[in-house]
Amino acid sequence: NWRNWQAPESATWGSEYLSLKSVKIGEFDLVPSYRGSKRVLGGIDVVVMGGWEAPFFIKTIFRAKKKLIPIIQFYESTKGSHRFSGPLIRKIRFIIFSQADFIVTAGTASTEAVLNKGLAKEKIITLCNPVDVRWFDSFARSHRIAPTPGHRFLYVGQLIARKNVGALIQAFALIKQGDDRLLIAGDGPVLDELKATAASLGVDKAVDFLGHKNQEELATIYASSNTFILPSTNEVWGLVVNEALASGLHAVVSDKCGVADFVENMPGCYITPTDPRSLAEAMAKSRENWNGYINSPQILEYTPQKFADEIVKVVERVWQT
């Protein structure tokens, strides 16, 4: 929970967690232990799996199958975002996913990735990854500020290589006009490198590195920005796009992001390759077409409540079979 979001005080559900050591492999946290699955499956009606690649997940899946407990497997990756894709891994992934009664995917790109594994189409349920879009919409409307000179471009996320923020700064340098600004909210190991890039391109006075922000701080930044950019070269989804659109912004989204297929026809969205010139062209187009905040963003239809209702339907189908 490195974004430091809090569970609602009104929540009536309970939760438990296992404390297991993990090993950091790049961005991936591997939990080598498989202990604890027997205890967590006690008295369980349905297992909803958020992953498959850790020994604990695998042990839990096969133990649940043996105990005839229905399994709903979540899968968000796309073909392009697979960390591991060798023939042995593909075979293991197929065997594990074959145990699930249903597989819930995040968007058409992850559905295609599952179909490419040879899994039955009727077992796949395609949904949209949700955020609390109504909250972001309401917050943005109540925290708007008077328009400032220039166009405010915004990036929110980790400052790591695959987020491609260096290319975003290069793109901004190509199209900056007058009082335009690029806001970068987030932190990470390439921060100093990005600051050096901005300085070398002569735009350091127009690029603001804001650091890590909590939910309300981010929402305040959304409310005063114009165009959001997610330039990642590899992104399973990109929930910050949901947040930005809900706040009424335009969104320039890399075609390597899982969310791209889902939002490409929404007002104010521009899907682009990840190189600096393509990003620059999309950013310039957004600025040119800017006519104020989007009043009724289409993303507002895709609430956590709607997502939960769909999951309940999947659970009901599991019980019926």
Side-chain angles (χ1 to χ4, degrees):
N1 188 24
W2 60 278
R3 291 188 78 171
N4 299 317
W5 288 22
Q6 302 300 314
E9 293 181 2
S10 59
T12 57
W13 41 266
S15 63
E16 297 180 20
Y17 64 91
L18 293 174
S19 181
L20 301 173
K21 292 183 179 180
S22 65
V23 178
K24 194 78 171 176
I25 304 176
E27 290 182 51
F28 179 57
D29 280 306
L30 173 65
V31 180
S33 175
Y34 59 85
R35 302 178 65 180
S37 63
K38 183 176 182 180
R39 179 163 66 84
V40 299
L41 289 176
I44 295 300
D45 298 309
V46 178
V47 171
V48 181
M49 296 301 303
W52 67 272
E53 67 276 27
F56 175 79
F57 292 152
I58 297 170
K59 182 73 173 181
T60 304
I61 289 167
F62 282 98
R63 189 183 290 274
K65 191 71 174 180
K66 186 176 181 180
K67 292 169 67 71
L68 303 181
I69 300 173
I71 302 167
I72 298 172
Q73 178 77 52
F74 271 72
Y75 189 74
E76 300 175 88
S77 294
T78 65
K79 189 176 180 181
S81 68
H82 286 159
R83 294 189 189 95
F84 314 108
S85 56
L88 177 59
I89 295 296
R90 289 199 299 270
K91 180 66 174 176
I92 293 172
R93 189 189 287 124
F94 173 81
I95 293 171
I96 294 170
F97 274 56
S98 297
Q99 311 307 307
D101 295 86
F102 288 101
I103 301 167
V104 175
T105 62
T108 56
S110 56
T111 295
E112 289 173 6
V114 174
L115 288 173
N116 285 337
K117 301 180 198 335
L119 293 156
K121 186 176 182 180
E122 58 270 18
K123 292 177 65 171
I124 304 171
I125 312 293
T126 304
L127 299 180
C128 162
N129 255 346
V131 299
D132 194 351
V133 285
R134 302 286 182 184
W135 184 88
F136 279 97
D137 173 56
S138 175
F139 191 99
R141 290 177 188 276
S142 62
H143 287 75
R144 294 271 187 250
I145 62 174
T148 56
H151 198 87
R152 291 166 68 88
F153 297 96
L154 171 65
Y155 166 82
V156 173
Q158 299 177 74
L159 302 184
I160 54 178
R162 71 172 173 84
K163 296 291 187 175
N164 201 31
V165 183
L168 169 57
I169 295 173
Q170 293 175 51
F172 177 69
L174 288 172
I175 55 99
K176 180 187 177 302
Q177 294 179 351
D179 294 315
D180 288 351
R181 301 202 71 79
L182 172 60
L183 312 179
I184 298 175
D187 202 356
V190 300
L191 174 59
D192 290 341
E193 178 184 325
L194 295 174
K195 288 181 176 179
T197 298
S200 69
L201 295 170
V203 293
D204 49 311
K205 297 294 190 296
V207 179
D208 299 321
F209 291 92
L210 305 178
H212 178 77
K213 298 296 179 182
N214 64 28
Q215 181 177 353
E216 288 205 0
E217 290 169 337
L218 280 180
T220 301
I221 297 168
Y222 285 133
S224 60
S225 301
N226 305 121
T227 298
F228 177 82
I229 307 100
L230 186 61
S232 307
T233 56
N234 187 343
E235 192 76 50
V236 170
W237 182 264
L239 288 173
V240 283
V241 175
N242 302 48
E243 298 171 357
L245 290 175
S247 302
L249 278 64
H250 284 192
V252 171
V253 183
S254 151
D255 58 8
K256 304 301 182 185
C257 299
V259 70
D261 287 345
F262 184 74
V263 302
E264 64 177 339
N265 294 319
M266 292 186 182
C269 289
Y270 303 85
I271 310 304
T272 174
T274 60
D275 63 281
R277 187 158 297 279
S278 296
L279 288 166
E281 290 173 359
M283 291 163 67
K285 189 177 296 185
S286 169
R287 180 180 57 197
E288 178 185 346
N289 293 336
W290 178 260
N291 192 29
Y293 293 98
I294 298 172
N295 190 41
S296 299
Q298 192 176 335
I299 197 74
L300 296 183
E301 300 173 21
Y302 300 95
T303 63
Q305 291 86 347
K306 181 176 181 178
F307 182 86
D309 288 342
E310 294 299 322
I311 294 300
V312 169
K313 291 178 184 176
V314 178
V315 171
E316 290 172 345
R317 289 179 63 181
V318 166
W319 283 337
Q320 289 169 4
T321 57

